[in-house]
Amino acid sequence: MIAPPGESRPGRKTIRGLADLAIRGAPPAFTDIVHVGRPNIGDRAAFMGRVDAMLDSRWLTNNGPLVQELEQKLARYLGVRHVVAMSNGTIALEIAIRALGLKGEVILPSYTFIATAHALQWQEITPVFADIDPVTHNIDPAAVERMITPRTSGIIGVHLWGRAAPVDELAEIARRRHLSLMFDSAHAFGSTYRGRRVGAFGRAEVFSFHATKFFNCFEGGAVTTNEDDLATTMRYMRNFGFETYDKAVHVGTNGKMPEICAAMGLTNLDSLDAVVEVNRANLAAYEAALADIEGVSLLRYDPREQSNFQYVIVEVDPGFAASRDEIVAALHAEGILARKYFWPGCHNMQPYRDLYPHAGLLLPNTKAVAERVIVLPTGTALPPHAIEVIASVFRVLGASRARA
Ligand code: T4K
């Protein structure tokens, strides 16, 4: 059972013309902010039951029974030999990168959350940004090939928006050029590539179970791999390098997932299908509501693949009557916190902007996509009225200058 929406109550406002917009002085549609990434929360009683048992057991962290149960269930669900649970997706990325022995330069898209790049830079590995495919928004294998130098040790593909990166093409490049391939799968829990669940591709894949993700553990993450030695190394690394009490065998950090996070994960696993259905229905409602607005298109999900539909992505044509930023500002004024992920691209944020000031010259598709994307709210906490309000904002702004 999914918990009903929290404090966000449906707005009652109808937007028919410019004068109805909050950005023009009308009252906002929502006083409780509608966020893109409100957490999906599973059965509270089941969660509380797990927490009670955990408190009774006085085992709160350090690879406890709930973490082990979660790892086993996730491994079965994803179809992979090893799931190494971590405190969050960023630490999981850092540990995977280190355990794979990446060094020198690693190729990744700039069009991703900054954590993908930071996980490299944090370890003094140079992130080399490759351009994306403007249609899928995923890394372009031809661009990857162009960025390879003698210092390149690996490639990180990102399954952006939960749609799989071009796994086979990247694997072929990695094989031919003797590079390690891993994936940032933070968006893709439950998604498939050619019918197989994301999680067992490349040498390792990294998931985020942050509160804003479709499947959440409050905070959390995991590295998945079919390589036994790699999994063992990562288990040491997440626990200060300890093999047993008093015996460190590796450099390590503290990347452990606490038991309460695993309790949340186990609970939320039971409502995964229900959450996907809600997201799917929200997307269908967006498709219907935006269908007649020219110059605005929703990113499609491949009907042959499974997806979690956790991101609703709208692309605004440069020729649309209102700019992407004007639309976002108008939505914010209505209390709808639409986002511009992943504008302006990692290469335009620090420290990368100063370190690699010319990176953008090779990233024309990244620039174009980052300038036209709006991420809209979805999930189980979306107020029913929100999609209608959002579509009205697009419609009214779209008609405004066209009429003028
Ligand atoms: N790789 C990729 C491709 C990623 O997208 C991410 C994370 C990572 C790696 C790293 O994984 P983690 O280390 O995070 O596990 C959010 C998330 O914080 C971040 O996890 C996520 N990607 C990214 C795409 O989005 P922000 O800074 O844009 O938004 P944030 O966290 O402030 O949350 C968005 C809105 O959601 C808030 O304004 C309010 C609402 N919210 C948030 C939380 C935490 C709630 O309603 N309840 C909550 O508990 O990064």
Side-chain angles (χ1 to χ4, degrees):
M1 225 208 104
I2 309 291
E7 77 265 32
S8 268
R9 284 178 295 278
R12 297 287 165 225
K13 183 172 158 180
T14 307
I15 298 172
R16 292 200 184 83
L18 287 173
D20 298 322
L21 292 175
I23 203 157
R24 297 288 184 99
F30 296 94
T31 46
D32 295 330
I33 301 294
V34 178
H35 289 284
V36 161
R38 296 236 99 178
N40 300 307
I41 298 173
D43 188 306
R44 288 179 194 214
F47 172 69
M48 296 303 178
R50 287 190 171 98
V51 172
D52 273 339
M54 175 198 76
L55 293 175
D56 289 343
S57 79
R58 291 182 188 263
W59 196 275
L60 306 185
T61 184
N62 290 24
N63 201 27
L66 293 172
V67 163
Q68 291 180 32
E69 184 185 343
L70 181 66
E71 287 183 341
Q72 283 158 18
K73 286 193 169 158
L74 292 179
R76 260 201 308 279
Y77 179 77
L78 296 171
V80 65
R81 277 168 74 83
H82 303 283
V83 172
V84 186
M86 305 274 182
S87 49
N88 58 64
T90 305
I91 287 281
L93 277 169
E94 288 171 14
I95 287 181
I97 287 163
R98 191 176 278 265
L100 284 172
L102 300 188
K103 55 186 184 340
E105 296 176 359
V106 170
I107 299 171
L108 74 162
S110 170
Y111 194 58
T112 177
F113 189 57
I114 193 86
T116 325
H118 281 348
L120 292 163
Q121 188 72 35
W122 190 256
Q123 311 189 63
E124 299 186 0
I125 299 167
T126 303
V128 174
F129 300 115
D131 210 2
I132 53 170
D133 177 324
V135 176
T136 67
H137 301 185
N138 272 319
I139 196 164
D140 173 8
V144 169
E145 189 102 43
R146 284 196 294 273
M147 306 309 277
I148 296 174
T149 74
R151 294 189 71 229
T152 309
S153 63
I155 303 167
I156 304 181
V158 180
H159 305 303
L160 205 82
W161 314 135
R163 303 191 324 164
V167 170
D168 286 347
E169 290 86 341
L170 294 175
E172 191 277 321
I173 295 172
R175 205 169 30 245
R176 186 162 37 80
R177 306 297 293 259
H178 308 292
L179 304 173
S180 284
L181 173 64
M182 61 174 274
F183 290 96
D184 178 337
S185 313
H187 297 182
F189 186 74
S191 299
T192 59
Y193 173 76
R194 302 205 165 151
R196 261 176 71 199
R197 280 228 166 88
V198 159
F201 295 116
R203 295 191 62 196
E205 299 209 48
V206 174
F207 291 90
S208 164
F209 306 140
H210 181 255
T212 54
K213 292 292 183 296
F214 144 75
F215 164 70
N216 86 85
C217 295
F218 297 127
E219 287 271 6
V223 188
T224 56
T225 183
N226 280 328
E227 295 184 25
D228 299 347
D229 290 350
L230 192 63
T232 304
T233 303
M234 292 190 295
R235 288 185 187 284
Y236 296 151
M237 284 182 165
R238 76 170 174 188
N239 187 30
F240 314 104
F242 281 125
E243 185 185 53
T244 57
Y245 286 136
D246 310 323
K247 188 181 172 197
V249 293
H250 216 289
V251 66
T253 183
N254 184 349
K256 290 170 280 138
M257 176 185 277
E259 286 288 272
I260 195 157
C261 292
M264 185 67 162
L266 286 165
T267 305
N268 287 340
L269 262 187
D270 289 336
S271 33
L272 272 189
D273 293 346
V275 175
V276 173
E277 282 321 306
V278 170
N279 285 349
R280 193 196 302 276
N282 286 342
L283 184 63
Y286 273 115
E287 274 165 359
L290 295 171
D292 63 329
I293 307 177
E294 223 174 292
V296 168
S297 50
L298 276 168
L299 198 77
R300 306 274 163 188
Y301 288 85
D302 185 342
R304 294 164 302 181
E305 303 286 1
Q306 284 175 34
S307 180
N308 51 47
F309 306 107
Q310 72 178 315
Y311 292 103
V312 174
I313 308 299
V314 164
E315 295 186 62
V316 182
D317 280 2
F320 191 67
S323 74
R324 187 273 303 267
D325 289 0
E326 285 169 335
I327 298 167
V328 168
L331 290 171
H332 285 193
E334 300 298 344
I336 297 159
L337 214 73
R339 301 293 301 268
K340 299 195 279 189
Y341 295 139
F342 287 104
W343 182 84
C346 294
H347 69 287
N348 276 322
M349 292 198 225
Q350 296 296 13
Y352 313 107
R353 195 183 174 86
D354 282 354
L355 288 173
Y356 321 113
H358 305 301
L361 294 175
L362 294 173
L363 303 170
N365 295 335
T366 300
K367 181 174 187 301
V369 170
E371 282 174 358
R372 63 178 184 238
V373 159
I374 304 178
V375 183
L376 297 174
T378 186
T380 54
L382 187 71
H385 191 50
I387 294 174
E388 196 186 309
V389 168
I390 290 167
S392 309
V393 170
F394 277 95
R395 188 170 297 108
V396 163
L397 287 177
S400 58
R401 271 174 237 160
R403 245 187 268 119

PDB file of all heavy atoms in Angstrom, residues 133-166:
ATOM      1  N   ASP A 133      23.729  11.848 -27.243  1.00  0.00           N
ATOM      2  CA  ASP A 133      22.804  11.743 -28.374  1.00  0.00           C
ATOM      3  C   ASP A 133      21.645  12.699 -28.071  1.00  0.00           C
ATOM      4  O   ASP A 133      21.019  12.593 -27.013  1.00  0.00           O
ATOM      5  CB  ASP A 133      22.323  10.282 -28.449  1.00  0.00           C
ATOM      6  CG  ASP A 133      21.304  10.057 -29.537  1.00  0.00           C
ATOM      7  OD1 ASP A 133      20.465  10.955 -29.773  1.00  0.00           O
ATOM      8  OD2 ASP A 133      21.319   8.980 -30.140  1.00  0.00           O
ATOM      9  N   PRO A 134      21.340  13.632 -28.990  1.00  0.00           N
ATOM     10  CA  PRO A 134      20.312  14.631 -28.669  1.00  0.00           C
ATOM     11  C   PRO A 134      18.914  14.033 -28.560  1.00  0.00           C
ATOM     12  O   PRO A 134      18.007  14.668 -28.006  1.00  0.00           O
ATOM     13  CB  PRO A 134      20.393  15.612 -29.838  1.00  0.00           C
ATOM     14  CG  PRO A 134      21.044  14.864 -30.949  1.00  0.00           C
ATOM     15  CD  PRO A 134      21.932  13.830 -30.323  1.00  0.00           C
ATOM     16  N   VAL A 135      18.721  12.832 -29.071  1.00  0.00           N
ATOM     17  CA  VAL A 135      17.384  12.220 -29.001  1.00  0.00           C
ATOM     18  C   VAL A 135      17.209  11.444 -27.696  1.00  0.00           C
ATOM     19  O   VAL A 135      16.225  11.611 -26.978  1.00  0.00           O
ATOM     20  CB  VAL A 135      17.140  11.305 -30.224  1.00  0.00           C
ATOM     21  CG1 VAL A 135      15.802  10.587 -30.105  1.00  0.00           C
ATOM     22  CG2 VAL A 135      17.187  12.130 -31.504  1.00  0.00           C
ATOM     23  N   THR A 136      18.192  10.601 -27.374  1.00  0.00           N
ATOM     24  CA  THR A 136      18.048   9.769 -26.156  1.00  0.00           C
ATOM     25  C   THR A 136      18.560  10.475 -24.905  1.00  0.00           C
ATOM     26  O   THR A 136      18.256  10.067 -23.795  1.00  0.00           O
ATOM     27  CB  THR A 136      18.833   8.456 -26.309  1.00  0.00           C
ATOM     28  OG1 THR A 136      20.233   8.769 -26.356  1.00  0.00           O
ATOM     29  CG2 THR A 136      18.428   7.704 -27.557  1.00  0.00           C
ATOM     30  N   HIS A 137      19.396  11.488 -25.055  1.00  0.00           N
ATOM     31  CA  HIS A 137      20.065  12.208 -23.967  1.00  0.00           C
ATOM     32  C   HIS A 137      21.166  11.362 -23.319  1.00  0.00           C
ATOM     33  O   HIS A 137      21.754  11.766 -22.317  1.00  0.00           O
ATOM     34  CB  HIS A 137      19.081  12.690 -22.878  1.00  0.00           C
ATOM     35  CG  HIS A 137      18.017  13.615 -23.388  1.00  0.00           C
ATOM     36  ND1 HIS A 137      17.106  14.222 -22.545  1.00  0.00           N
ATOM     37  CD2 HIS A 137      17.724  14.046 -24.639  1.00  0.00           C
ATOM     38  CE1 HIS A 137      16.276  14.972 -23.271  1.00  0.00           C
ATOM     39  NE2 HIS A 137      16.631  14.872 -24.543  1.00  0.00           N
ATOM     40  N   ASN A 138      21.403  10.172 -23.831  1.00  0.00           N
ATOM     41  CA  ASN A 138      22.450   9.309 -23.277  1.00  0.00           C
ATOM     42  C   ASN A 138      23.766   9.523 -24.015  1.00  0.00           C
ATOM     43  O   ASN A 138      23.799  10.032 -25.140  1.00  0.00           O
ATOM     44  CB  ASN A 138      22.023   7.838 -23.379  1.00  0.00           C
ATOM     45  CG  ASN A 138      21.219   7.410 -22.154  1.00  0.00           C
ATOM     46  OD1 ASN A 138      21.553   7.770 -21.021  1.00  0.00           O
ATOM     47  ND2 ASN A 138      20.168   6.645 -22.372  1.00  0.00           N
ATOM     48  N   ILE A 139      24.847   9.086 -23.385  1.00  0.00           N
ATOM     49  CA  ILE A 139      26.185   9.282 -23.948  1.00  0.00           C
ATOM     50  C   ILE A 139      26.267   8.674 -25.356  1.00  0.00           C
ATOM     51  O   ILE A 139      25.683   7.615 -25.620  1.00  0.00           O
ATOM     52  CB  ILE A 139      27.261   8.690 -23.002  1.00  0.00           C
ATOM     53  CG1 ILE A 139      28.651   9.204 -23.330  1.00  0.00           C
ATOM     54  CG2 ILE A 139      27.206   7.170 -22.996  1.00  0.00           C
ATOM     55  CD1 ILE A 139      29.668   8.963 -22.213  1.00  0.00           C
ATOM     56  N   ASP A 140      26.975   9.373 -26.248  1.00  0.00           N
ATOM     57  CA  ASP A 140      27.089   8.961 -27.644  1.00  0.00           C
ATOM     58  C   ASP A 140      28.386   8.147 -27.814  1.00  0.00           C
ATOM     59  O   ASP A 140      29.475   8.676 -27.595  1.00  0.00           O
ATOM     60  CB  ASP A 140      27.122  10.239 -28.501  1.00  0.00           C
ATOM     61  CG  ASP A 140      27.416   9.950 -29.957  1.00  0.00           C
ATOM     62  OD1 ASP A 140      27.452   8.765 -30.346  1.00  0.00           O
ATOM     63  OD2 ASP A 140      27.624  10.930 -30.712  1.00  0.00           O
ATOM     64  N   PRO A 141      28.281   6.874 -28.185  1.00  0.00           N
ATOM     65  CA  PRO A 141      29.489   6.038 -28.305  1.00  0.00           C
ATOM     66  C   PRO A 141      30.537   6.638 -29.239  1.00  0.00           C
ATOM     67  O   PRO A 141      31.740   6.528 -28.975  1.00  0.00           O
ATOM     68  CB  PRO A 141      28.949   4.713 -28.858  1.00  0.00           C
ATOM     69  CG  PRO A 141      27.513   4.689 -28.473  1.00  0.00           C
ATOM     70  CD  PRO A 141      27.056   6.105 -28.472  1.00  0.00           C
ATOM     71  N   ALA A 142      30.095   7.283 -30.321  1.00  0.00           N
ATOM     72  CA  ALA A 142      31.073   7.877 -31.251  1.00  0.00           C
ATOM     73  C   ALA A 142      31.850   8.990 -30.550  1.00  0.00           C
ATOM     74  O   ALA A 142      33.066   9.149 -30.758  1.00  0.00           O
ATOM     75  CB  ALA A 142      30.355   8.425 -32.483  1.00  0.00           C
ATOM     76  N   ALA A 143      31.170   9.747 -29.702  1.00  0.00           N
ATOM     77  CA  ALA A 143      31.845  10.818 -28.954  1.00  0.00           C
ATOM     78  C   ALA A 143      32.819  10.213 -27.940  1.00  0.00           C
ATOM     79  O   ALA A 143      33.909  10.749 -27.717  1.00  0.00           O
ATOM     80  CB  ALA A 143      30.815  11.694 -28.244  1.00  0.00           C
ATOM     81  N   VAL A 144      32.429   9.105 -27.330  1.00  0.00           N
ATOM     82  CA  VAL A 144      33.325   8.425 -26.379  1.00  0.00           C
ATOM     83  C   VAL A 144      34.618   8.050 -27.087  1.00  0.00           C
ATOM     84  O   VAL A 144      35.721   8.325 -26.603  1.00  0.00           O
ATOM     85  CB  VAL A 144      32.643   7.160 -25.798  1.00  0.00           C
ATOM     86  CG1 VAL A 144      33.647   6.302 -25.030  1.00  0.00           C
ATOM     87  CG2 VAL A 144      31.469   7.552 -24.908  1.00  0.00           C
ATOM     88  N   GLU A 145      34.465   7.436 -28.238  1.00  0.00           N
ATOM     89  CA  GLU A 145      35.629   6.977 -29.011  1.00  0.00           C
ATOM     90  C   GLU A 145      36.584   8.155 -29.275  1.00  0.00           C
ATOM     91  O   GLU A 145      37.799   8.014 -29.172  1.00  0.00           O
ATOM     92  CB  GLU A 145      35.121   6.366 -30.319  1.00  0.00           C
ATOM     93  CG  GLU A 145      36.173   5.669 -31.118  1.00  0.00           C
ATOM     94  CD  GLU A 145      36.138   4.143 -30.991  1.00  0.00           C
ATOM     95  OE1 GLU A 145      35.036   3.575 -31.027  1.00  0.00           O
ATOM     96  OE2 GLU A 145      37.215   3.546 -30.845  1.00  0.00           O
ATOM     97  N   ARG A 146      35.988   9.308 -29.606  1.00  0.00           N
ATOM     98  CA  ARG A 146      36.817  10.481 -29.922  1.00  0.00           C
ATOM     99  C   ARG A 146      37.604  10.993 -28.719  1.00  0.00           C
ATOM    100  O   ARG A 146      38.615  11.657 -28.876  1.00  0.00           O
ATOM    101  CB  ARG A 146      35.925  11.628 -30.439  1.00  0.00           C
ATOM    102  CG  ARG A 146      35.443  11.452 -31.862  1.00  0.00           C
ATOM    103  CD  ARG A 146      34.920  12.780 -32.431  1.00  0.00           C
ATOM    104  NE  ARG A 146      33.732  13.272 -31.769  1.00  0.00           N
ATOM    105  CZ  ARG A 146      32.489  12.929 -32.100  1.00  0.00           C
ATOM    106  NH1 ARG A 146      32.286  12.079 -33.088  1.00  0.00           N
ATOM    107  NH2 ARG A 146      31.462  13.417 -31.456  1.00  0.00           N
ATOM    108  N   MET A 147      37.114  10.721 -27.506  1.00  0.00           N
ATOM    109  CA  MET A 147      37.743  11.299 -26.314  1.00  0.00           C
ATOM    110  C   MET A 147      38.820  10.389 -25.712  1.00  0.00           C
ATOM    111  O   MET A 147      39.460  10.746 -24.730  1.00  0.00           O
ATOM    112  CB  MET A 147      36.694  11.596 -25.233  1.00  0.00           C
ATOM    113  CG  MET A 147      35.531  12.466 -25.681  1.00  0.00           C
ATOM    114  SD  MET A 147      36.002  13.984 -26.500  1.00  0.00           S
ATOM    115  CE  MET A 147      36.314  15.022 -25.097  1.00  0.00           C
ATOM    116  N   ILE A 148      39.016   9.213 -26.275  1.00  0.00           N
ATOM    117  CA  ILE A 148      39.992   8.272 -25.702  1.00  0.00           C
ATOM    118  C   ILE A 148      41.421   8.767 -25.968  1.00  0.00           C
ATOM    119  O   ILE A 148      41.747   9.185 -27.078  1.00  0.00           O
ATOM    120  CB  ILE A 148      39.790   6.851 -26.293  1.00  0.00           C
ATOM    121  CG1 ILE A 148      38.413   6.322 -25.884  1.00  0.00           C
ATOM    122  CG2 ILE A 148      40.892   5.897 -25.815  1.00  0.00           C
ATOM    123  CD1 ILE A 148      38.033   5.000 -26.525  1.00  0.00           C
ATOM    124  N   THR A 149      42.243   8.736 -24.926  1.00  0.00           N
ATOM    125  CA  THR A 149      43.668   9.089 -25.054  1.00  0.00           C
ATOM    126  C   THR A 149      44.478   7.967 -24.385  1.00  0.00           C
ATOM    127  O   THR A 149      43.884   7.074 -23.761  1.00  0.00           O
ATOM    128  CB  THR A 149      43.993  10.422 -24.321  1.00  0.00           C
ATOM    129  OG1 THR A 149      44.000  10.167 -22.909  1.00  0.00           O
ATOM    130  CG2 THR A 149      43.012  11.526 -24.642  1.00  0.00           C
ATOM    131  N   PRO A 150      45.788   8.042 -24.466  1.00  0.00           N
ATOM    132  CA  PRO A 150      46.580   7.005 -23.785  1.00  0.00           C
ATOM    133  C   PRO A 150      46.361   6.983 -22.267  1.00  0.00           C
ATOM    134  O   PRO A 150      46.667   5.990 -21.609  1.00  0.00           O
ATOM    135  CB  PRO A 150      48.028   7.395 -24.120  1.00  0.00           C
ATOM    136  CG  PRO A 150      47.926   8.200 -25.378  1.00  0.00           C
ATOM    137  CD  PRO A 150      46.620   8.923 -25.303  1.00  0.00           C
ATOM    138  N   ARG A 151      45.818   8.068 -21.712  1.00  0.00           N
ATOM    139  CA  ARG A 151      45.604   8.118 -20.249  1.00  0.00           C
ATOM    140  C   ARG A 151      44.237   7.562 -19.840  1.00  0.00           C
ATOM    141  O   ARG A 151      43.943   7.442 -18.649  1.00  0.00           O
ATOM    142  CB  ARG A 151      45.705   9.576 -19.752  1.00  0.00           C
ATOM    143  CG  ARG A 151      47.105  10.182 -19.890  1.00  0.00           C
ATOM    144  CD  ARG A 151      47.167  11.528 -19.169  1.00  0.00           C
ATOM    145  NE  ARG A 151      47.131  11.365 -17.729  1.00  0.00           N
ATOM    146  CZ  ARG A 151      46.319  12.053 -16.906  1.00  0.00           C
ATOM    147  NH1 ARG A 151      45.473  12.937 -17.397  1.00  0.00           N
ATOM    148  NH2 ARG A 151      46.357  11.849 -15.612  1.00  0.00           N
ATOM    149  N   THR A 152      43.398   7.249 -20.800  1.00  0.00           N
ATOM    150  CA  THR A 152      42.035   6.802 -20.462  1.00  0.00           C
ATOM    151  C   THR A 152      42.070   5.407 -19.845  1.00  0.00           C
ATOM    152  O   THR A 152      42.687   4.490 -20.398  1.00  0.00           O
ATOM    153  CB  THR A 152      41.157   6.767 -21.741  1.00  0.00           C
ATOM    154  OG1 THR A 152      41.276   8.024 -22.406  1.00  0.00           O
ATOM    155  CG2 THR A 152      39.705   6.499 -21.390  1.00  0.00           C
ATOM    156  N   SER A 153      41.383   5.264 -18.704  1.00  0.00           N
ATOM    157  CA  SER A 153      41.330   3.931 -18.070  1.00  0.00           C
ATOM    158  C   SER A 153      39.914   3.365 -18.063  1.00  0.00           C
ATOM    159  O   SER A 153      39.733   2.166 -17.854  1.00  0.00           O
ATOM    160  CB  SER A 153      41.855   4.006 -16.633  1.00  0.00           C
ATOM    161  OG  SER A 153      41.023   4.848 -15.854  1.00  0.00           O
ATOM    162  N   GLY A 154      38.918   4.214 -18.253  1.00  0.00           N
ATOM    163  CA  GLY A 154      37.561   3.674 -18.159  1.00  0.00           C
ATOM    164  C   GLY A 154      36.500   4.580 -18.753  1.00  0.00           C
ATOM    165  O   GLY A 154      36.764   5.720 -19.153  1.00  0.00           O
ATOM    166  N   ILE A 155      35.300   4.014 -18.800  1.00  0.00           N
ATOM    167  CA  ILE A 155      34.114   4.738 -19.286  1.00  0.00           C
ATOM    168  C   ILE A 155      33.017   4.557 -18.241  1.00  0.00           C
ATOM    169  O   ILE A 155      32.811   3.439 -17.744  1.00  0.00           O
ATOM    170  CB  ILE A 155      33.604   4.136 -20.619  1.00  0.00           C
ATOM    171  CG1 ILE A 155      34.711   4.141 -21.692  1.00  0.00           C
ATOM    172  CG2 ILE A 155      32.363   4.858 -21.123  1.00  0.00           C
ATOM    173  CD1 ILE A 155      34.369   3.272 -22.914  1.00  0.00           C
ATOM    174  N   ILE A 156      32.353   5.662 -17.926  1.00  0.00           N
ATOM    175  CA  ILE A 156      31.151   5.550 -17.092  1.00  0.00           C
ATOM    176  C   ILE A 156      29.951   5.953 -17.939  1.00  0.00           C
ATOM    177  O   ILE A 156      29.797   7.126 -18.307  1.00  0.00           O
ATOM    178  CB  ILE A 156      31.217   6.450 -15.833  1.00  0.00           C
ATOM    179  CG1 ILE A 156      32.463   6.132 -15.002  1.00  0.00           C
ATOM    180  CG2 ILE A 156      29.943   6.269 -14.990  1.00  0.00           C
ATOM    181  CD1 ILE A 156      32.593   6.964 -13.720  1.00  0.00           C
ATOM    182  N   GLY A 157      29.114   4.978 -18.254  1.00  0.00           N
ATOM    183  CA  GLY A 157      27.858   5.279 -18.935  1.00  0.00           C
ATOM    184  C   GLY A 157      26.809   5.612 -17.882  1.00  0.00           C
ATOM    185  O   GLY A 157      26.845   5.080 -16.776  1.00  0.00           O
ATOM    186  N   VAL A 158      25.918   6.527 -18.217  1.00  0.00           N
ATOM    187  CA  VAL A 158      24.838   6.887 -17.288  1.00  0.00           C
ATOM    188  C   VAL A 158      23.511   6.524 -17.949  1.00  0.00           C
ATOM    189  O   VAL A 158      23.269   6.931 -19.093  1.00  0.00           O
ATOM    190  CB  VAL A 158      24.868   8.397 -16.959  1.00  0.00           C
ATOM    191  CG1 VAL A 158      23.741   8.764 -15.995  1.00  0.00           C
ATOM    192  CG2 VAL A 158      26.218   8.802 -16.376  1.00  0.00           C
ATOM    193  N   HIS A 159      22.690   5.752 -17.267  1.00  0.00           N
ATOM    194  CA  HIS A 159      21.365   5.412 -17.818  1.00  0.00           C
ATOM    195  C   HIS A 159      20.414   6.564 -17.471  1.00  0.00           C
ATOM    196  O   HIS A 159      19.621   6.478 -16.519  1.00  0.00           O
ATOM    197  CB  HIS A 159      20.836   4.116 -17.215  1.00  0.00           C
ATOM    198  CG  HIS A 159      21.746   2.937 -17.350  1.00  0.00           C
ATOM    199  ND1 HIS A 159      22.201   2.476 -18.564  1.00  0.00           N
ATOM    200  CD2 HIS A 159      22.273   2.108 -16.421  1.00  0.00           C
ATOM    201  CE1 HIS A 159      22.952   1.409 -18.371  1.00  0.00           C
ATOM    202  NE2 HIS A 159      23.021   1.164 -17.091  1.00  0.00           N
ATOM    203  N   LEU A 160      20.515   7.632 -18.258  1.00  0.00           N
ATOM    204  CA  LEU A 160      19.808   8.857 -17.889  1.00  0.00           C
ATOM    205  C   LEU A 160      18.297   8.717 -17.973  1.00  0.00           C
ATOM    206  O   LEU A 160      17.785   8.121 -18.920  1.00  0.00           O
ATOM    207  CB  LEU A 160      20.276  10.006 -18.788  1.00  0.00           C
ATOM    208  CG  LEU A 160      20.088  11.357 -18.118  1.00  0.00           C
ATOM    209  CD1 LEU A 160      21.236  11.654 -17.176  1.00  0.00           C
ATOM    210  CD2 LEU A 160      19.942  12.449 -19.135  1.00  0.00           C
ATOM    211  N   TRP A 161      17.630   9.278 -17.020  1.00  0.00           N
ATOM    212  CA  TRP A 161      16.162   9.261 -16.922  1.00  0.00           C
ATOM    213  C   TRP A 161      15.618   7.828 -16.816  1.00  0.00           C
ATOM    214  O   TRP A 161      14.454   7.581 -17.084  1.00  0.00           O
ATOM    215  CB  TRP A 161      15.479   9.964 -18.099  1.00  0.00           C
ATOM    216  CG  TRP A 161      16.005  11.298 -18.537  1.00  0.00           C
ATOM    217  CD1 TRP A 161      16.228  11.704 -19.824  1.00  0.00           C
ATOM    218  CD2 TRP A 161      16.329  12.441 -17.721  1.00  0.00           C
ATOM    219  NE1 TRP A 161      16.690  12.987 -19.860  1.00  0.00           N
ATOM    220  CE2 TRP A 161      16.763  13.465 -18.583  1.00  0.00           C
ATOM    221  CE3 TRP A 161      16.325  12.688 -16.340  1.00  0.00           C
ATOM    222  CZ2 TRP A 161      17.178  14.730 -18.120  1.00  0.00           C
ATOM    223  CZ3 TRP A 161      16.746  13.935 -15.884  1.00  0.00           C
ATOM    224  CH2 TRP A 161      17.153  14.924 -16.771  1.00  0.00           C
ATOM    225  N   GLY A 162      16.497   6.863 -16.497  1.00  0.00           N
ATOM    226  CA  GLY A 162      16.035   5.473 -16.390  1.00  0.00           C
ATOM    227  C   GLY A 162      15.978   4.771 -17.732  1.00  0.00           C
ATOM    228  O   GLY A 162      15.515   3.639 -17.809  1.00  0.00           O
ATOM    229  N   ARG A 163      16.457   5.437 -18.790  1.00  0.00           N
ATOM    230  CA  ARG A 163      16.516   4.778 -20.095  1.00  0.00           C
ATOM    231  C   ARG A 163      17.957   4.344 -20.322  1.00  0.00           C
ATOM    232  O   ARG A 163      18.895   5.145 -20.219  1.00  0.00           O
ATOM    233  CB  ARG A 163      16.054   5.734 -21.193  1.00  0.00           C
ATOM    234  CG  ARG A 163      14.646   6.237 -20.902  1.00  0.00           C
ATOM    235  CD  ARG A 163      14.018   6.968 -22.022  1.00  0.00           C
ATOM    236  NE  ARG A 163      14.948   7.781 -22.782  1.00  0.00           N
ATOM    237  CZ  ARG A 163      14.664   8.250 -23.984  1.00  0.00           C
ATOM    238  NH1 ARG A 163      13.520   7.997 -24.539  1.00  0.00           N
ATOM    239  NH2 ARG A 163      15.533   8.993 -24.621  1.00  0.00           N
ATOM    240  N   ALA A 164      18.137   3.064 -20.628  1.00  0.00           N
ATOM    241  CA  ALA A 164      19.484   2.501 -20.653  1.00  0.00           C
ATOM    242  C   ALA A 164      20.381   3.201 -21.659  1.00  0.00           C
ATOM    243  O   ALA A 164      19.959   3.545 -22.771  1.00  0.00           O
ATOM    244  CB  ALA A 164      19.419   1.013 -20.950  1.00  0.00           C
ATOM    245  N   ALA A 165      21.640   3.397 -21.259  1.00  0.00           N
ATOM    246  CA  ALA A 165      22.679   3.901 -22.156  1.00  0.00           C
ATOM    247  C   ALA A 165      22.928   2.843 -23.244  1.00  0.00           C
ATOM    248  O   ALA A 165      22.483   1.698 -23.103  1.00  0.00           O
ATOM    249  CB  ALA A 165      23.947   4.159 -21.338  1.00  0.00           C
ATOM    250  N   PRO A 166      23.647   3.205 -24.314  1.00  0.00           N
ATOM    251  CA  PRO A 166      23.923   2.213 -25.376  1.00  0.00           C
ATOM    252  C   PRO A 166      24.949   1.181 -24.896  1.00  0.00           C
ATOM    253  O   PRO A 166      26.134   1.239 -25.234  1.00  0.00           O
ATOM    254  CB  PRO A 166      24.463   3.072 -26.523  1.00  0.00           C
ATOM    255  CG  PRO A 166      24.967   4.311 -25.891  1.00  0.00           C
ATOM    256  CD  PRO A 166      24.190   4.535 -24.638  1.00  0.00           C
TER     257      PRO A 166
END
